Amino acid sequence: SQTIHQWPATLVQPVGSPLSLECTVEGTSNPNLYWYRQAAGRGLQLLFYSVGIGQISSEVPQNLSASRPQDRQFILSSKKLLLSDSGFYLCAWSTDSNYGYTFGSGTRLTVV
Amino acid sequence: RKEVEQDPGPFNVPEGATVAFNCTYSNSASQSFFWYRQDCRKEPKLLMSVYSSGNEDGRFTAQLNRASQYISLLIRDSKLSDSATYLCVVTPGAGSYQLTFGKGTKLSVIP
């Protein structure tokens, strides 16, 4: 069966520090991968998606970036965090969006 | 017009009540429709897909009206454990890799 792993679960980082969040999927190949952010009390905001290794589409211009170095690995990064980067970051995968997404358990990031 | 619109609630209902949520979507080319459930501080989880003919899963019934571009979710005999935020989700159309999420409707089932 397919599983998605996301870590860490919680993170507290100072303003200006770098960020690296990792997401891996098991039990499937060539998944579509997604990074979403959910600010407190808000809806889901799509940040990046990838349909293959090295292929990244950005939905929102900001100080975040994403990379897909391996088929089932998706990384979200920042060189310098801002207070506004605080939120709940969710990784998701699908093979066909017509069947929905499966989300990882998320990383709750607080920038202080 | 927002792509997917939902009443944010909250809907506060007693145990055993029947509650219905509606959702409207703007893209008439949307092909697939879902309801997700998100518990507080957790990830969204797929509750059910929504088919043109309507579908039922236990106490939950989902319906789609393509002509009016709305989706509904009916929960019968509400349980305390049904308390969550319910997200309406659609695919934008053919060839899209993305889902469009509504902001959710919050349900609180009260003892």
Side-chain angles (χ1 to χ4, degrees), chain B residues 45-76:
Chain B
K45 293 184 178 178
L46 180 63
L47 178 66
M48 58 197 305
S49 301
V50 187
Y51 305 120
S52 295
S53 56
N55 48 301
E56 187 174 310
D57 182 2
R59 298 181 292 108
F60 298 83
T61 300
Q63 292 193 315
L64 167 64
N65 184 318
R66 284 189 183 273
S68 300
Q69 294 181 210
Y70 82 79
I71 306 154
S72 65
L73 177 67
L74 183 76
I75 306 176
R76 291 180 299 278

mmCIF file of all heavy atoms in Angstrom, chain B residues 45-76:
data_model
loop_
_atom_site.group_PDB
_atom_site.id
_atom_site.type_symbol
_atom_site.label_atom_id
_atom_site.label_comp_id
_atom_site.label_asym_id
_atom_site.label_seq_id
_atom_site.Cartn_x
_atom_site.Cartn_y
_atom_site.Cartn_z
ATOM 1 N N LYS B 45 -8.475 14.539 5.127
ATOM 2 C CA LYS B 45 -8.593 13.148 4.686
ATOM 3 C C LYS B 45 -9.835 13.006 3.816
ATOM 4 O O LYS B 45 -10.874 13.602 4.089
ATOM 5 C CB LYS B 45 -8.676 12.211 5.899
ATOM 6 C CG LYS B 45 -7.400 12.171 6.704
ATOM 7 C CD LYS B 45 -7.465 11.160 7.832
ATOM 8 C CE LYS B 45 -6.147 11.122 8.582
ATOM 9 N NZ LYS B 45 -6.171 10.177 9.721
ATOM 10 N N LEU B 46 -9.679 12.203 2.773
ATOM 11 C CA LEU B 46 -10.782 12.008 1.851
ATOM 12 C C LEU B 46 -11.952 11.332 2.560
ATOM 13 O O LEU B 46 -11.804 10.254 3.123
ATOM 14 C CB LEU B 46 -10.317 11.155 0.654
ATOM 15 C CG LEU B 46 -11.370 10.856 -0.402
ATOM 16 C CD1 LEU B 46 -11.854 12.135 -1.078
ATOM 17 C CD2 LEU B 46 -10.805 9.892 -1.445
ATOM 18 N N LEU B 47 -13.089 11.984 2.528
ATOM 19 C CA LEU B 47 -14.308 11.414 3.109
ATOM 20 C C LEU B 47 -15.037 10.598 2.055
ATOM 21 O O LEU B 47 -15.365 9.434 2.259
ATOM 22 C CB LEU B 47 -15.198 12.536 3.642
ATOM 23 C CG LEU B 47 -16.538 12.124 4.242
ATOM 24 C CD1 LEU B 47 -16.327 11.315 5.508
ATOM 25 C CD2 LEU B 47 -17.406 13.351 4.535
ATOM 26 N N MET B 48 -15.308 11.223 0.920
ATOM 27 C CA MET B 48 -15.958 10.506 -0.167
ATOM 28 C C MET B 48 -15.869 11.279 -1.464
ATOM 29 O O MET B 48 -15.759 12.504 -1.463
ATOM 30 C CB MET B 48 -17.425 10.197 0.169
ATOM 31 C CG MET B 48 -18.289 11.383 0.489
ATOM 32 S SD MET B 48 -19.830 10.937 1.341
ATOM 33 C CE MET B 48 -20.559 9.746 0.226
ATOM 34 N N SER B 49 -15.883 10.538 -2.550
ATOM 35 C CA SER B 49 -16.010 11.144 -3.861
ATOM 36 C C SER B 49 -17.481 11.423 -4.120
ATOM 37 O O SER B 49 -18.359 10.831 -3.480
ATOM 38 C CB SER B 49 -15.462 10.206 -4.934
ATOM 39 O OG SER B 49 -14.108 9.917 -4.692
ATOM 40 N N VAL B 50 -17.750 12.316 -5.040
ATOM 41 C CA VAL B 50 -19.128 12.681 -5.355
ATOM 42 C C VAL B 50 -19.392 12.339 -6.805
ATOM 43 O O VAL B 50 -18.705 12.851 -7.692
ATOM 44 C CB VAL B 50 -19.388 14.183 -5.121
ATOM 45 C CG1 VAL B 50 -20.870 14.498 -5.304
ATOM 46 C CG2 VAL B 50 -18.914 14.617 -3.743
ATOM 47 N N TYR B 51 -20.368 11.502 -7.040
ATOM 48 C CA TYR B 51 -20.675 11.054 -8.392
ATOM 49 C C TYR B 51 -21.965 11.699 -8.868
ATOM 50 O O TYR B 51 -22.819 12.091 -8.074
ATOM 51 C CB TYR B 51 -20.789 9.526 -8.429
ATOM 52 C CG TYR B 51 -19.563 8.822 -7.893
ATOM 53 C CD1 TYR B 51 -19.641 7.965 -6.801
ATOM 54 C CD2 TYR B 51 -18.314 9.033 -8.480
ATOM 55 C CE1 TYR B 51 -18.516 7.328 -6.318
ATOM 56 C CE2 TYR B 51 -17.187 8.399 -7.990
ATOM 57 C CZ TYR B 51 -17.297 7.554 -6.902
ATOM 58 O OH TYR B 51 -16.183 6.928 -6.423
ATOM 59 N N SER B 52 -22.089 11.772 -10.181
ATOM 60 C CA SER B 52 -23.257 12.428 -10.783
ATOM 61 C C SER B 52 -24.563 11.802 -10.326
ATOM 62 O O SER B 52 -25.577 12.488 -10.183
ATOM 63 C CB SER B 52 -23.160 12.357 -12.309
ATOM 64 O OG SER B 52 -22.060 13.091 -12.762
ATOM 65 N N SER B 53 -24.525 10.501 -10.093
ATOM 66 C CA SER B 53 -25.741 9.789 -9.694
ATOM 67 C C SER B 53 -26.005 9.906 -8.201
ATOM 68 O O SER B 53 -27.019 9.410 -7.708
ATOM 69 C CB SER B 53 -25.614 8.312 -10.078
ATOM 70 O OG SER B 53 -24.455 7.763 -9.497
ATOM 71 N N GLY B 54 -25.093 10.567 -7.476
ATOM 72 C CA GLY B 54 -25.213 10.632 -6.021
ATOM 73 C C GLY B 54 -24.676 9.361 -5.405
ATOM 74 O O GLY B 54 -24.703 8.296 -6.026
ATOM 75 N N ASN B 55 -24.143 9.451 -4.226
ATOM 76 C CA ASN B 55 -23.617 8.260 -3.574
ATOM 77 C C ASN B 55 -23.749 8.377 -2.063
ATOM 78 O O ASN B 55 -23.811 9.477 -1.514
ATOM 79 C CB ASN B 55 -22.174 7.971 -3.999
ATOM 80 C CG ASN B 55 -21.277 9.159 -3.939
ATOM 81 O OD1 ASN B 55 -21.528 10.173 -4.589
ATOM 82 N ND2 ASN B 55 -20.225 9.075 -3.161
ATOM 83 N N GLU B 56 -23.801 7.212 -1.463
ATOM 84 C CA GLU B 56 -24.057 7.122 -0.029
ATOM 85 C C GLU B 56 -23.024 6.219 0.607
ATOM 86 O O GLU B 56 -22.625 5.200 0.028
ATOM 87 C CB GLU B 56 -25.467 6.554 0.182
ATOM 88 C CG GLU B 56 -25.957 6.554 1.620
ATOM 89 C CD GLU B 56 -27.414 6.113 1.711
ATOM 90 O OE1 GLU B 56 -28.251 6.661 0.974
ATOM 91 O OE2 GLU B 56 -27.694 5.205 2.510
ATOM 92 N N ASP B 57 -22.567 6.611 1.796
ATOM 93 C CA ASP B 57 -21.632 5.778 2.545
ATOM 94 C C ASP B 57 -22.068 5.839 4.001
ATOM 95 O O ASP B 57 -21.736 6.790 4.710
ATOM 96 C CB ASP B 57 -20.205 6.306 2.368
ATOM 97 C CG ASP B 57 -19.187 5.440 3.079
ATOM 98 O OD1 ASP B 57 -19.561 4.412 3.683
ATOM 99 O OD2 ASP B 57 -17.992 5.788 3.031
ATOM 100 N N GLY B 58 -22.842 4.864 4.410
ATOM 101 C CA GLY B 58 -23.344 4.857 5.778
ATOM 102 C C GLY B 58 -24.260 6.042 6.025
ATOM 103 O O GLY B 58 -25.263 6.233 5.342
ATOM 104 N N ARG B 59 -23.882 6.870 6.985
ATOM 105 C CA ARG B 59 -24.694 8.032 7.345
ATOM 106 C C ARG B 59 -24.472 9.246 6.434
ATOM 107 O O ARG B 59 -25.122 10.270 6.606
ATOM 108 C CB ARG B 59 -24.378 8.426 8.792
ATOM 109 C CG ARG B 59 -24.702 7.351 9.816
ATOM 110 C CD ARG B 59 -24.401 7.810 11.242
ATOM 111 N NE ARG B 59 -22.966 7.981 11.479
ATOM 112 C CZ ARG B 59 -22.360 9.164 11.608
ATOM 113 N NH1 ARG B 59 -23.061 10.284 11.517
ATOM 114 N NH2 ARG B 59 -21.063 9.225 11.837
ATOM 115 N N PHE B 60 -23.555 9.114 5.503
ATOM 116 C CA PHE B 60 -23.166 10.232 4.649
ATOM 117 C C PHE B 60 -23.720 10.046 3.226
ATOM 118 O O PHE B 60 -23.571 8.973 2.653
ATOM 119 C CB PHE B 60 -21.644 10.347 4.588
ATOM 120 C CG PHE B 60 -21.014 10.621 5.926
ATOM 121 C CD1 PHE B 60 -20.745 9.583 6.805
ATOM 122 C CD2 PHE B 60 -20.685 11.911 6.290
ATOM 123 C CE1 PHE B 60 -20.160 9.836 8.046
ATOM 124 C CE2 PHE B 60 -20.105 12.169 7.521
ATOM 125 C CZ PHE B 60 -19.844 11.129 8.403
ATOM 126 N N THR B 61 -24.312 11.124 2.707
ATOM 127 C CA THR B 61 -24.809 11.108 1.331
ATOM 128 C C THR B 61 -24.295 12.340 0.610
ATOM 129 O O THR B 61 -24.423 13.459 1.115
ATOM 130 C CB THR B 61 -26.347 11.113 1.290
ATOM 131 O OG1 THR B 61 -26.839 9.956 1.979
ATOM 132 C CG2 THR B 61 -26.848 11.093 -0.150
ATOM 133 N N ALA B 62 -23.703 12.125 -0.552
ATOM 134 C CA ALA B 62 -23.191 13.234 -1.356
ATOM 135 C C ALA B 62 -23.965 13.296 -2.655
ATOM 136 O O ALA B 62 -24.327 12.271 -3.235
ATOM 137 C CB ALA B 62 -21.703 13.030 -1.629
ATOM 138 N N GLN B 63 -24.225 14.526 -3.101
ATOM 139 C CA GLN B 63 -24.938 14.699 -4.363
ATOM 140 C C GLN B 63 -24.297 15.812 -5.172
ATOM 141 O O GLN B 63 -23.711 16.746 -4.623
ATOM 142 C CB GLN B 63 -26.410 15.010 -4.104
ATOM 143 C CG GLN B 63 -27.161 13.829 -3.500
ATOM 144 C CD GLN B 63 -28.662 14.026 -3.532
ATOM 145 O OE1 GLN B 63 -29.139 15.093 -3.206
ATOM 146 N NE2 GLN B 63 -29.390 12.992 -3.927
ATOM 147 N N LEU B 64 -24.431 15.681 -6.485
ATOM 148 C CA LEU B 64 -23.863 16.640 -7.417
ATOM 149 C C LEU B 64 -24.964 17.136 -8.340
ATOM 150 O O LEU B 64 -25.725 16.338 -8.875
ATOM 151 C CB LEU B 64 -22.761 15.958 -8.241
ATOM 152 C CG LEU B 64 -22.244 16.688 -9.476
ATOM 153 C CD1 LEU B 64 -21.558 17.989 -9.092
ATOM 154 C CD2 LEU B 64 -21.303 15.785 -10.265
ATOM 155 N N ASN B 65 -25.024 18.448 -8.503
ATOM 156 C CA ASN B 65 -25.946 19.041 -9.466
ATOM 157 C C ASN B 65 -25.106 19.830 -10.461
ATOM 158 O O ASN B 65 -24.681 20.965 -10.180
ATOM 159 C CB ASN B 65 -26.940 19.951 -8.742
ATOM 160 C CG ASN B 65 -27.998 20.523 -9.686
ATOM 161 O OD1 ASN B 65 -27.695 20.930 -10.817
ATOM 162 N ND2 ASN B 65 -29.230 20.546 -9.235
ATOM 163 N N ARG B 66 -24.832 19.236 -11.612
ATOM 164 C CA ARG B 66 -23.951 19.881 -12.592
ATOM 165 C C ARG B 66 -24.605 21.122 -13.202
ATOM 166 O O ARG B 66 -23.925 22.101 -13.487
ATOM 167 C CB ARG B 66 -23.589 18.896 -13.702
ATOM 168 C CG ARG B 66 -22.555 17.858 -13.293
ATOM 169 C CD ARG B 66 -22.098 17.074 -14.506
ATOM 170 N NE ARG B 66 -21.170 16.019 -14.171
ATOM 171 C CZ ARG B 66 -19.858 16.187 -14.087
ATOM 172 N NH1 ARG B 66 -19.337 17.381 -14.313
ATOM 173 N NH2 ARG B 66 -19.077 15.175 -13.789
ATOM 174 N N ALA B 67 -25.888 21.070 -13.395
ATOM 175 C CA ALA B 67 -26.566 22.204 -14.032
ATOM 176 C C ALA B 67 -26.446 23.463 -13.180
ATOM 177 O O ALA B 67 -26.222 24.565 -13.687
ATOM 178 C CB ALA B 67 -28.036 21.862 -14.272
ATOM 179 N N SER B 68 -26.578 23.281 -11.865
ATOM 180 C CA SER B 68 -26.502 24.424 -10.955
ATOM 181 C C SER B 68 -25.116 24.586 -10.353
ATOM 182 O O SER B 68 -24.879 25.526 -9.588
ATOM 183 C CB SER B 68 -27.529 24.271 -9.832
ATOM 184 O OG SER B 68 -28.843 24.197 -10.367
ATOM 185 N N GLN B 69 -24.229 23.653 -10.664
ATOM 186 C CA GLN B 69 -22.837 23.693 -10.198
ATOM 187 C C GLN B 69 -22.766 23.750 -8.682
ATOM 188 O O GLN B 69 -22.119 24.639 -8.106
ATOM 189 C CB GLN B 69 -22.070 24.848 -10.870
ATOM 190 C CG GLN B 69 -21.930 24.631 -12.364
ATOM 191 C CD GLN B 69 -21.152 25.727 -13.069
ATOM 192 O OE1 GLN B 69 -21.398 26.010 -14.235
ATOM 193 N NE2 GLN B 69 -20.224 26.361 -12.413
ATOM 194 N N TYR B 70 -23.448 22.811 -8.053
ATOM 195 C CA TYR B 70 -23.269 22.702 -6.609
ATOM 196 C C TYR B 70 -23.210 21.244 -6.182
ATOM 197 O O TYR B 70 -23.689 20.341 -6.867
ATOM 198 C CB TYR B 70 -24.323 23.492 -5.830
ATOM 199 C CG TYR B 70 -25.657 22.835 -5.628
ATOM 200 C CD1 TYR B 70 -25.844 21.859 -4.651
ATOM 201 C CD2 TYR B 70 -26.765 23.224 -6.374
ATOM 202 C CE1 TYR B 70 -27.072 21.272 -4.451
ATOM 203 C CE2 TYR B 70 -27.994 22.645 -6.173
ATOM 204 C CZ TYR B 70 -28.143 21.671 -5.215
ATOM 205 O OH TYR B 70 -29.380 21.099 -5.027
ATOM 206 N N ILE B 71 -22.590 21.083 -5.025
ATOM 207 C CA ILE B 71 -22.367 19.776 -4.426
ATOM 208 C C ILE B 71 -22.912 19.836 -3.005
ATOM 209 O O ILE B 71 -22.818 20.882 -2.358
ATOM 210 C CB ILE B 71 -20.859 19.460 -4.356
ATOM 211 C CG1 ILE B 71 -20.219 19.602 -5.728
ATOM 212 C CG2 ILE B 71 -20.611 18.055 -3.819
ATOM 213 C CD1 ILE B 71 -18.746 19.936 -5.635
ATOM 214 N N SER B 72 -23.464 18.747 -2.553
ATOM 215 C CA SER B 72 -23.990 18.740 -1.188
ATOM 216 C C SER B 72 -23.480 17.524 -0.428
ATOM 217 O O SER B 72 -23.103 16.502 -1.021
ATOM 218 C CB SER B 72 -25.523 18.758 -1.198
ATOM 219 O OG SER B 72 -26.017 17.566 -1.783
ATOM 220 N N LEU B 73 -23.460 17.667 0.888
ATOM 221 C CA LEU B 73 -23.120 16.560 1.785
ATOM 222 C C LEU B 73 -24.154 16.544 2.891
ATOM 223 O O LEU B 73 -24.379 17.557 3.551
ATOM 224 C CB LEU B 73 -21.724 16.744 2.379
ATOM 225 C CG LEU B 73 -21.287 15.694 3.390
ATOM 226 C CD1 LEU B 73 -21.104 14.334 2.705
ATOM 227 C CD2 LEU B 73 -19.997 16.112 4.092
ATOM 228 N N LEU B 74 -24.776 15.405 3.067
ATOM 229 C CA LEU B 74 -25.781 15.222 4.106
ATOM 230 C C LEU B 74 -25.245 14.239 5.133
ATOM 231 O O LEU B 74 -24.771 13.161 4.762
ATOM 232 C CB LEU B 74 -27.073 14.685 3.500
ATOM 233 C CG LEU B 74 -28.271 14.502 4.443
ATOM 234 C CD1 LEU B 74 -28.893 15.858 4.754
ATOM 235 C CD2 LEU B 74 -29.305 13.573 3.833
ATOM 236 N N ILE B 75 -25.303 14.620 6.388
ATOM 237 C CA ILE B 75 -24.888 13.725 7.476
ATOM 238 C C ILE B 75 -26.115 13.448 8.333
ATOM 239 O O ILE B 75 -26.724 14.370 8.882
ATOM 240 C CB ILE B 75 -23.774 14.356 8.336
ATOM 241 C CG1 ILE B 75 -22.600 14.784 7.470
ATOM 242 C CG2 ILE B 75 -23.330 13.369 9.414
ATOM 243 C CD1 ILE B 75 -21.498 15.513 8.244
ATOM 244 N N ARG B 76 -26.465 12.180 8.425
ATOM 245 C CA ARG B 76 -27.620 11.784 9.243
ATOM 246 C C ARG B 76 -27.145 11.274 10.591
ATOM 247 O O ARG B 76 -26.022 10.765 10.723
ATOM 248 C CB ARG B 76 -28.419 10.683 8.535
ATOM 249 C CG ARG B 76 -29.138 11.134 7.279
ATOM 250 C CD ARG B 76 -29.915 9.961 6.655
ATOM 251 N NE ARG B 76 -29.016 8.879 6.269
ATOM 252 C CZ ARG B 76 -28.331 8.867 5.140
ATOM 253 N NH1 ARG B 76 -28.437 9.865 4.285
ATOM 254 N NH2 ARG B 76 -27.533 7.847 4.856
#
